């Protein structure tokens, strides 16, 4: 420990930055924990960054000789460092280190120079050696002695030899190739075996360290009788270059030696020197007769680059004489090692929105071969958005060089190929898995942009209406979807008062029971939002159509006194004939479609043979003439039914009082001819002039109205009461008449058809007094989808019976309209006021629905949809 204490006292640390590399210098054999340098300071890092950025040190040699003190940022010795074990006799010993820092990923190269200390004494292979020297050897003859070995270098290496004092021998040294010093024993005086047959000498080897270290070898010299010539080699040193891939048995060299003696003294036998290391015996063999050296084992340049073999030629004389030579064999490197790919840092997951140039991993390549055989290049497959960026000394950074999309490829197996420059070149491959992490770059997508939901009215509150579904191509939280309903107004009330949605599965539930008569259609804006940051969303529209159910009984609107079920009193003259119109019962149904079709029936009567009720119009007429025997007071119970399922009904009681003095006012439209008055001629003249003036004025007015009617009929199809072409679709042989009746407070249009079913049919549309101001607008469907939606709503309220349409041609539309004008309206035009569009929906030979105060929502004429827009 004394020399270590001295070195601790004298050693110092050096560091410098050369070409971006930090270099330290330390002596070998430092204790564990010894400080090499302040790495954090030299790299410009704060102490907190050492832990946060996961700074670590990797050795290219594989052994972890150094580590980093995270608390101080110092590079410290982690294991025993023996320079001789690491670098042998190399004059320079440098340990390259790689410092890896993450977030962002960086690589720094550190070099630590290991300086030699005098920690090894010179040693001899054998502590005792034996020399046989003939007594007749000449003064000045030299005998080679075993050289000592000192693993240290420089001033600490072997410097000199000394020999114990002896009058017959001295010590000389000579320098051979490579700067190696070899000791030689020199004969100073003639030997006399008879005086002294054995000499013992002590050979000491000294190094140049401070303090000096030494090693000794005991030399025993036996003085022999004369065999005065020893074998001599042609060369003292032989040099051979041998290919690394040479096969065992290959002849390497055949050194030649001669002996001037004759007989046994001149016969030579070859062998390896007595101090030949085992590695030579393992690898080579020598023929004792010819001296031919052959290869015995398998060479490996990467293990041993050269061999020095001591060859001895010994004669058979007595005493034996021997000569020596050295065979130096250089191994020629062959490209027999494939490159090795080393991951300096493990690849980290990469965000799919990472910019080009993002460092993914650090890679290095090494090849145990030398020269061109050890030069390595790395390549990637071209089909990946990654590339290699070289840094220094076969170190590369794997970086991105293109756009990444996790939804297309979530993980890459990047194949890296390392190829050396040998001939033939060798290569190796390594797969590097790189995971792509998700970024919220895809909004949720509904299965449809819009949905149509058909819902019967009067459903149970809380029942499920529909379920929407959306998907998200992203992953994890970015793909988790929650559903919500965007706030909007339905009849000035928030849509959340009508429905709510399950945020997890998209199921939509009703908040109340819907009433078709109050709400027929509404829409919901559903939003699907993911849980990403920032979150993305998509909207879809849900159209909810309420389907009518027969939940309203007919309501009597005339006679008005019967609206609350009280008795309605009517009068009629006893002189009434058969077919006399007594009254007209009018009822409406809040439902639509066939649920609103109303029929009238006489349920009870004082005299059922006297009165009849029209099934469709509700007109109460006499079946026969009133007789004197008929009671003056008649009581009728009229039942009013709709055509829904189940049937809803109402009743009205009509009390009829027959009076003798009651006369029905008759409108006489015929011209009355009056007798000229008996007045004077002046008055007659005045009357004639007045009549002429009125006639002329009437004629002018009629002409103006006729011209206006003709013009309007060309554009709006009003004024003239005639059938449209759609009438032909129903029955081309039928003669229809349209008549406006105004008897009583109810106005109605009566459509008369002849020869429909071999008898005259009468279809009437009852309208409120203000219904003549209704508007109808012709709308052509904007798309097939919209048209189907409108028709489906109408069809849902109509009877689904094919037989009901049997009298209409199957190829024609089942909605038939008549216009009180000459032509059907063009798209976008409207009928207003008395220009009435009269639509009759035929469903059976005896039943038709005319436009009422609550007509069907839409009808079709020649492929066009008529939509009521008031």
């Amino acid at each position: 420990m004394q020399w270590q204490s001295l070195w601790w006292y004298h050693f110092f640390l050096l560091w410098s930055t050369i070409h971006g590399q930090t270099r330290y210098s330390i002596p070998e054999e430092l204790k564990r924990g010894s400080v090499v340098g302040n790495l954090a300071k030299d790299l410009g890092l704060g102490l907190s960054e050492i832990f946060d950025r996961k700074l670590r040190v990797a050795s290219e040699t594989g052994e972890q000789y150094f580590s980093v003190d995270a608390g101080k940022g110092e590079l410290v010795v982690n294991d025993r460092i023996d320079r001789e074990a690491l670098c042998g006799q190399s004059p320079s010993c440098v340990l390259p280190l790689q410092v890896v820092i993450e977030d962002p990923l960086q690589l720094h190269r550190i070099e630590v120079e290991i300086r030699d200390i005098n920690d090894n004494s010179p040693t001899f292979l054998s502590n005792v050696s034996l020399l046989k020297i003939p007594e007749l050897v000449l003064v000045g003859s030299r005998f080679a002695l075993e050289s000592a070995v000192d693993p240290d270098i420089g001033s600490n290496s072997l410097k000199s030899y000394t020999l114990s004092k002896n009058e017959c021998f001295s010590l000389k040294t000579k320098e051979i190739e490579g700067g190696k010093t070899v000791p030689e024993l020199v004969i100073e005086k003639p030997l006399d075996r008879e005086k002294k047959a054995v000499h013992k000498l002590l050979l000491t080897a000294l190094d140049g360290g401070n303090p000096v270290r030494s090693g000794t070898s005991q030399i025993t010299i036996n003085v022999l009788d004369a065999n005065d010539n020893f074998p001599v080699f042609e060369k003292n040193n032989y040099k051979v270059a041998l290919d690394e891939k040479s096969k065992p048995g290959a002849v390497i060299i055949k050194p030649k030696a001669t002996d001037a003696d004759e007989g046994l003294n001149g016969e030579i036998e070859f062998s390896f020197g007595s101090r030949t290391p085992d590695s030579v015996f393992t690898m080579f063999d020598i023929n004792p007769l010819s001296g031919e050296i052959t290869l015995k084992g398998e060479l490996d340049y990467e293990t041993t680059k050269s061999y020095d073999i001591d060859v001895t030629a010994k004669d058979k004389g007595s005493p034996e004489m021997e000569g020596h030579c050295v065979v130096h064999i250089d191994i020629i490197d062959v490209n027999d090692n494939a490159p090795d790919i080393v991951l300096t840092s493990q690849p980290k997951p990469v965000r799919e929105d990472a910019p080009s140039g993002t460092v993914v991993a650090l890679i290095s390549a090494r090849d145990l071969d030398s020269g061109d055989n050890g030069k390595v290049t790395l390549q990637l497959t071209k089909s990946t958005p990654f590339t290699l960026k070289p840094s220094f000394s076969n170190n590369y950074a794997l970086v991105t060089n293109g756009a990444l999309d996790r939804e297309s490829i979530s993980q890459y197996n990047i194949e890296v190929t390392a190829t050396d420059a040998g001939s033939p070149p060798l290569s190796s491959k390594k797969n590097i898995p790189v995971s792509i992490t998700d970024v919220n770059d895809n909004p949720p997508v509904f299965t449809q942009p819009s949905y149509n939901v058909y819902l019967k009215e009067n459903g149970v509150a809380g029942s499920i209406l529909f379920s929407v579904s959306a998907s998200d191509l992203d992953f994890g939280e970015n793909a988790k979807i929650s559903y919500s309903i965007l706030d909007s107004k339905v009849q000035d009330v928030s849509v959340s008062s009508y429905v709510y949605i399950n945020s997890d599965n998209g199921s939509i539930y009703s908040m109340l029971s819907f009433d078709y008569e109050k709400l027929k259609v509404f829409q919901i804006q559903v939003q699907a939002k993911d849980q990403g940051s920032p979150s993305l969303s998509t909207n879809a529209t849900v159209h909810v159509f309420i389907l009518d159910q027969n939940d309203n009984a007919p309501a009597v609107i005339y006679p008005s006194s019967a609206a609350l079920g009280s008795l309605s009193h009517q009068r009629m003259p006893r002189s009434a004939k058969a077919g006399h119109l007594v009254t007209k019962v009018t009822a409406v149904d809040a439902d639509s479609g066939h649920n609103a079709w109303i029929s009238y029936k006489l349920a009870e009567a004082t005299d059922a043979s006297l009165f009849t009720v029209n099934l469709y119009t509700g007109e109460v007429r006499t079946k026969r003439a009133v007789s004197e025997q008929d009671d003056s007071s008649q009581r009728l119970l009229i039942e009013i039914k709709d055509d829904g399922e189940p049937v809803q009904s109402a009743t009205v009681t009509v009390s009829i009082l027959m009076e003798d003095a009651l006369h029905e006012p008759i409108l006489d439209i015929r011209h009355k001819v009056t007798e000229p008055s008996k007045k004077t001629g002046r008055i007659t003249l005045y009357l004639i002039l007045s009549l002429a003036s009125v006639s002329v004025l009437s004629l002018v007015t009629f002409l103006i109205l006729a011209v206006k009617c003709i013009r309007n009929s060309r554009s709006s199809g009003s004024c003239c009461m005639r059938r449209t072409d759609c009438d032909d679709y129903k029955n081309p042989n039928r003669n229809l008449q349209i008549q406006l009746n105004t008897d009583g407070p109810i106005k109605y249009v009566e459509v008369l058809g002849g020869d429909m079913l071999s008898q005259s049919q009468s279809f009437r549309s009852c309208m409120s007094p203000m219904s003549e101001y209704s508007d109808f607008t012709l709308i052509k469907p904007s798309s097939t989808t919209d048209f189907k939606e409108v028709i489906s709503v109408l069809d849902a309220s109509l009877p689904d019976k094919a037989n009901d349409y049997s009298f209409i041609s199957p190829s024609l539309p089942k909605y038939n309209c008549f216009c009180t004008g000459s032509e059907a309206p063009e798209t976008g035009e409207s009928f207003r006021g008395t220009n009435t569009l009269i639509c009759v929906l035929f469903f059976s030979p005896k039943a038709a629905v005319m436009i009422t105060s609550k007509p069907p929502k839409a009808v079709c004429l020649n492929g066009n949809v008529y939509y009521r827009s008031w």
Side-chain angles (χ1 to χ4, degrees), residues 717 720-731 734-738 749 751-753 756 763 776 815-825 831 835-842 848-851 859-861 866:
C720 299
M721 301 289 289
R722 82 175 186 88
R723 293 177 297 149
T724 61
D725 294 337
C726 66
D727 177 45
D728 297 335
Y729 293 150
K730 294 179 288 187
N731 194 332
R734 191 170 62 210
N735 182 20
L736 294 180
Q737 300 175 4
I738 300 177
V749 177
V751 183
L752 302 176
M756 179 182 290
F763 302 91
F776 288 84
Y815 310 112
N816 303 274
C817 300
F818 302 93
C819 303
T820 61
S822 59
E823 298 291 337
F831 291 99
N835 300 331
T836 307
L837 174 65
I838 304 171
C839 297
V840 186
L841 309 184
F842 289 93
V849 176
M850 302 297 293
I851 295 177
V859 294
C860 178
L861 174 62
Y866 288 78

Side-chain angles (χ1 to χ4, degrees), residues 53-196:
R53 298 186 62 183
K54 301 178 181 178
L55 184 145
R56 63 183 184 275
V57 175
S59 173
E60 295 183 1
T61 62
E63 294 290 336
Q64 198 67 26
Y65 292 105
F66 302 96
S67 62
V68 177
D69 186 342
K72 299 179 180 179
E74 295 174 336
L75 184 67
V76 297
V77 176
N78 191 52
D79 200 356
R80 176 177 177 268
I81 301 175
D82 185 1
R83 183 192 181 284
E84 289 73 34
L86 289 175
C87 304
Q89 295 293 311
S90 175
S92 174
C93 186
V94 176
L95 286 181
L97 304 178
Q98 292 178 344
V99 179
V100 181
I101 310 173
E102 298 184 3
D103 300 325
L105 198 58
Q106 293 179 339
L107 177 67
H108 296 272
R109 184 180 175 87
I110 304 294
E111 290 184 351
V112 180
E113 180 187 10
I114 308 301
R115 300 196 309 273
D116 184 51
I117 64 174
N118 192 23
D119 57 340
N120 291 282
S121 300
T123 58
F124 292 92
L125 185 63
S126 175
N127 291 331
V128 177
S129 61
L130 177 65
L131 284 180
K132 295 179 180 181
I133 302 175
E135 61 178 335
L136 298 180
V137 67
L138 298 177
V139 174
S141 297
R142 297 189 176 201
F143 294 88
L145 300 177
E146 177 187 357
S147 298
V149 177
D150 192 334
D152 295 324
I153 63 169
S155 61
N156 297 323
S157 64
L158 180 65
K159 293 299 182 181
S160 62
Y161 294 90
T162 62
L163 188 65
S164 59
K165 190 173 182 182
N166 188 290
E167 60 180 5
C168 295
F169 303 97
S170 65
L171 184 67
K172 299 289 184 181
T173 58
K174 72 174 181 178
E175 188 172 325
I176 62 175
E177 186 176 355
K180 184 176 181 181
T181 301
V182 178
E184 290 183 332
L185 187 65
V186 181
I187 305 298
E188 294 292 340
K189 286 177 60 176
L191 299 178
D192 187 353
R193 180 179 177 279
E194 287 69 27
K195 288 183 178 181
K196 193 173 184 177

Side-chain angles (χ1 to χ4, degrees), residues 18 58 63 77 142-143 146 267 276 398 515-516 526 566 608 654 664 681 687 707 870:
I18 302 174
E63 294 290 336
V77 176
R142 297 189 176 201
F143 294 88
E146 177 187 357
E267 292 182 9
T276 301
L398 179 64
D515 187 354
Y516 173 83
V526 179
S566 61
V654 179
E664 181 182 9
L687 290 174
V707 172
W870 65 68

